[in-house]
Amino acid sequence: MITERSEYAVLSKQSSCRETVIARKIPCAECDDSTVVFGNHADQVRWLSRKPCAPLFADAAAPTDDAPARQILSVLTEAMLPKNAGEPTECFFTAPRGRSNRENVTFLERLTRMHGFVPRYFNAGPSVILSSGSENCFTGVAIVMGAETSEISVNRFGIEIAAATIQVGANWIDTELARQFRIQTWDETGECYLDLEAVREWKHNSRMHLGNATDEREKTLARLYGAVLDQIAGVTRRLINSPAVTSALGNDRLAVICAGGPTQIGGFTSTLTERFVEHESADQILSIRTADDPETAVVRGLLIQGELEERRLRPTVKAA
């Protein structure tokens, strides 16, 4: 499975930077006054510039006003998609739902068609249910926490019956932590930036646990996660009590499956459980767990959906 970071690093066009990038055989592109390194390779050149990497989907929106980002996404899409030969093949993809969902879907559909594939959009929540919900008959609540958004999806036998998106994710947590503790870096011109990469490296320490915070920074991290999970629990309660869900599932208790990189932190599920208790909805929840390999749960679900669709369309061989 191929994954690529959705960001790019902008380096000074000084000869020393360019010579270093070329010497290390790192793919790059030339802009008017800078050298751009993108995708997974951006991590290899962080030491050449203290300027933070730029996201390809700033605020979870398609880069309509960022020409370099649009070109980089086209290159990355071509690199990730297999070479297509013969008839057009369907390509299942997803995009963050919310304010910019329609624009994101349209943009990614256009990129996919450019490279010879037929685009098929599929929501992230049902994808998680398909990849990780077999033990509950593909029925339950999927919570997908990403960088910019958090999605909640209620499903019955793999079919989504209610969903909502919260416009906050891990980037808000990282930004608030960096701001409150003045975790900063300066580029070569002296301009100051919040050092989100330093926050992420610290946060991803394997000993980190939301329920065992010891110093003030860890306690603040737990509070920030708690604020996001409080919103998620509130929205989940509203969805599972909605007419569409009660009509389809009655009063059945629902399994909750969590996915996305931010859900890997220690104590995530226990903190979410506490929020469900506070929202008086714990008695409607059967279990809460994190999907196996939560960072790839959505992609694996898209692969399953593609396989199911191929089987549905495959001609049936009839016996003579």
Side-chain angles (χ1 to χ4, degrees), residues 1 46 52 98 104 122 129 142 159 190 230 236 275 285:
M1 185 178 294
R46 291 188 189 277
N104 290 343
F122 197 64
I129 292 294
I159 304 299
D230 185 68
T236 302
R275 295 304 181 272
I285 304 300

Side-chain angles (χ1 to χ4, degrees), residues 1 8 54 80 103 117 145 194 249 258 293 313:
M1 185 178 294
Y8 63 96
M80 287 188 288
E103 293 83 355
F117 287 80
M145 188 172 176
L194 294 176
L249 296 172
C258 305
D293 196 0
L313 298 175

Side-chain angles (χ1 to χ4, degrees), residues 88-102:
T89 302
E90 289 186 326
C91 173
F92 282 81
F93 72 97
T94 194
R97 288 193 277 196
R99 291 188 295 264
S100 302
N101 178 251
R102 187 63 253 169

Side-chain angles (χ1 to χ4, degrees), residues 37-238:
V37 178
F38 50 86
N40 295 337
H41 297 290
D43 201 44
Q44 299 176 252
V45 297
R46 291 188 189 277
W47 61 280
L48 289 174
S49 174
R50 294 184 178 181
K51 184 179 294 186
C53 288
L56 294 175
F57 284 89
D59 298 323
T64 54
D65 298 323
D66 188 341
R70 292 200 306 272
Q71 295 172 18
I72 291 168
L73 279 167
S74 179
V75 171
L76 290 177
T77 302
E78 183 178 17
M80 287 188 288
L81 289 173
K83 299 302 179 184
N84 189 24
E87 295 184 2
T89 302
E90 289 186 326
C91 173
F92 282 81
F93 72 97
T94 194
R97 288 193 277 196
R99 291 188 295 264
S100 302
N101 178 251
R102 187 63 253 169
E103 293 83 355
N104 290 343
V105 172
T106 300
F107 177 78
L108 291 172
E109 284 178 338
R110 189 179 303 119
L111 277 182
T112 305
R113 287 195 186 97
M114 283 173 55
H115 299 295
F117 287 80
V118 178
R120 290 287 303 275
Y121 173 76
F122 197 64
N123 291 328
S127 297
V128 170
I129 292 294
L130 281 178
S131 68
S132 308
S134 60
E135 64 186 63
N136 300 107
C137 299
F138 306 103
T139 297
V141 180
I143 294 173
V144 185
M145 188 172 176
E148 298 288 350
T149 62
S150 298
E151 299 183 27
I152 303 96
S153 171
V154 185
N155 297 259
R156 179 175 182 267
F157 300 137
I159 304 299
E160 186 175 75
I161 53 180
T165 300
I166 300 170
Q167 301 299 316
V168 64
N171 282 354
W172 177 80
I173 295 173
D174 298 343
T175 301
E176 278 298 303
L177 196 70
R179 184 184 63 81
Q180 292 185 30
F181 287 88
R182 297 183 181 275
I183 303 172
Q184 302 168 331
T185 188
W186 288 261
D187 65 12
E188 57 272 12
T189 67
E191 188 171 355
C192 181
Y193 300 90
L194 294 176
D195 194 349
L196 300 184
E197 191 60 30
V199 171
R200 290 160 187 160
E201 289 179 0
W202 168 80
K203 187 178 68 174
H204 291 160
N205 189 308
S206 59
R207 70 172 182 80
M208 197 66 66
H209 194 287
L210 297 178
N212 298 327
T214 54
D215 59 24
E216 194 56 39
R217 186 187 292 189
E218 292 179 6
K219 292 176 182 177
T220 300
L221 176 66
R223 285 196 296 270
L224 292 171
Y225 256 96
V228 177
L229 294 182
D230 185 68
Q231 293 187 56
I232 290 174
V235 171
T236 302
R237 183 177 187 274
R238 175 173 59 81

